[in-house]
Amino acid sequence: MKNAFLIIDTQFDFCHPDGALFVPGADQDVERMSALIRNHADQIDHIVVTLDTHQVLDIAHPLFWHDASGKHPDPFTRISGEEVDAGQWVPRFSPEKAIRYIHELEADGQFAHFIWPEHCLIGSRGAALHDTLLDALKDWSRKRDLDYVAVQKGLYPLSEHFGIFRAQVPDAAVPETELNTTLIADLARFDTIYLMGEAKSHCVANSLKQLLDFVPELVHKLVIVTDCMSDVTGLGYLADPIYAEAQSRNVRFLESDALFN
């Protein structure tokens, strides 16, 4: 049996208390992930880490929007299509595409559009892997003579890209927003795919949802590592339907100490 780890967005800004969008509990999650990698290196045959990566002028950052008085929205502001149509929030860049994005997001039944603190800015400390995880990955690479694979997401500024496999609203003219068939084929080589990372309520949940929706042939291989992920404070309920669907489709949910026993 060949095993792969898919580790979502275990980066400084999410996993360190000094990070721009720290997820409470993520620092302990990193410790458990790193211990898994160190203690079971011979049983882990492939590791993919994903890297949320943004520009400052991103559709989910405050600077992208303003109200009638020119004030930017505060982090964690929800922006709806109704508010945009009424001029309550105005996009400062690519307005036609931005407004269409908000409406397509809502029409597809996806998460509402939230404004986040500027986070995981390209080239910044915040966008880097947490040091504890990086050290474990390097030790695994040296022991197994294998490189871990890093996959960026989120650089297209006109769509959120929570799930690793596809932007929330793909743009046919921007290939990196479309379904990542290369990553899917890479993971399909393995018998079991262990999913973990940050945040449980957002990027992990949406990665899981994309597998359920677009890659059903991999669903039977999935294991959700429940104690290696945490929710954005107060927003865990957003992902409850996704995890309920996964359970209904017999996806396995295990804690880290039960993976290789």
Side-chain angles (χ1 to χ4, degrees), residues 145-161:
D145 286 333
L146 295 168
D147 268 323
Y148 62 90
V149 174
V151 181
Q152 280 187 323
K153 64 179 177 67
L155 274 170
Y156 179 59
L158 296 177
S159 174
E160 282 274 32
H161 203 139

Side-chain angles (χ1 to χ4, degrees), residues 173-187:
V174 184
E176 63 264 30
T177 68
E178 298 282 0
L179 192 65
N180 189 336
T181 55
T182 300
L183 176 57
I184 291 166
D186 183 31
L187 293 170

Side-chain angles (χ1 to χ4, degrees), residues 180-197:
N180 189 336
T181 55
T182 300
L183 176 57
I184 291 166
D186 183 31
L187 293 170
R189 300 180 295 126
F190 297 90
D191 300 295
T192 306
I193 302 165
Y194 294 98
L195 179 63
M196 62 197 84

Side-chain angles (χ1 to χ4, degrees), residues 155-171:
L155 274 170
Y156 179 59
L158 296 177
S159 174
E160 282 274 32
H161 203 139
F162 292 127
I164 184 56
F165 298 99
R166 199 191 76 160
Q168 299 304 105
V169 178
D171 184 330

Side-chain angles (χ1 to χ4, degrees), residues 65-258:
W65 300 88
H66 65 75
D67 63 14
S69 65
K71 180 181 181 295
H72 301 300
D74 293 326
F76 304 103
T77 298
R78 179 186 181 277
I79 292 181
S80 69
E82 183 179 357
E83 290 168 334
V84 170
D85 289 344
Q88 184 173 339
W89 294 112
V90 179
R92 300 176 59 226
F93 310 96
S94 304
E96 290 184 8
K97 285 189 174 182
I99 292 169
R100 184 165 64 248
Y101 167 77
I102 299 295
H103 285 290
E104 289 185 10
L105 197 65
E106 293 180 348
D108 194 39
Q110 299 192 50
F111 287 2
H113 186 59
F114 277 89
I115 301 301
W116 304 107
E118 291 178 1
H119 65 282
C120 295
L121 299 180
I122 187 169
S124 72
R125 180 189 186 191
L129 290 169
H130 190 289
D131 285 343
T132 300
L133 180 69
L134 180 59
D135 287 344
L137 291 171
K138 290 190 292 186
D139 287 346
W140 174 83
S141 287
R142 293 174 183 126
K143 184 170 185 178
R144 295 297 308 272
D145 286 333
L146 295 168
D147 268 323
Y148 62 90
V149 174
V151 181
Q152 280 187 323
K153 64 179 177 67
L155 274 170
Y156 179 59
L158 296 177
S159 174
E160 282 274 32
H161 203 139
F162 292 127
I164 184 56
F165 298 99
R166 199 191 76 160
Q168 299 304 105
V169 178
D171 184 330
V174 184
E176 63 264 30
T177 68
E178 298 282 0
L179 192 65
N180 189 336
T181 55
T182 300
L183 176 57
I184 291 166
D186 183 31
L187 293 170
R189 300 180 295 126
F190 297 90
D191 300 295
T192 306
I193 302 165
Y194 294 98
L195 179 63
M196 62 197 84
E198 306 305 334
K200 177 184 177 183
S201 54
H202 285 77
C203 295
V204 178
N206 275 267
S207 296
L208 172 60
K209 178 64 172 170
Q210 290 170 354
L211 286 168
L212 295 170
D213 288 349
F214 306 122
V215 204
E217 64 272 19
L218 294 189
V219 170
H220 74 283
K221 300 183 177 190
L222 286 175
V223 174
I224 310 301
V225 188
T226 56
D227 61 340
C228 289
M229 57 183 70
S230 296
D231 291 322
V232 176
T233 301
L235 296 179
Y237 70 92
L238 292 172
D240 286 347
I242 297 172
Y243 291 105
E245 180 184 352
Q247 287 183 314
S248 75
R249 291 172 63 174
N250 298 316
V251 172
R252 289 164 287 171
F253 289 71
L254 294 174
E255 291 192 352
S256 56
D257 60 5

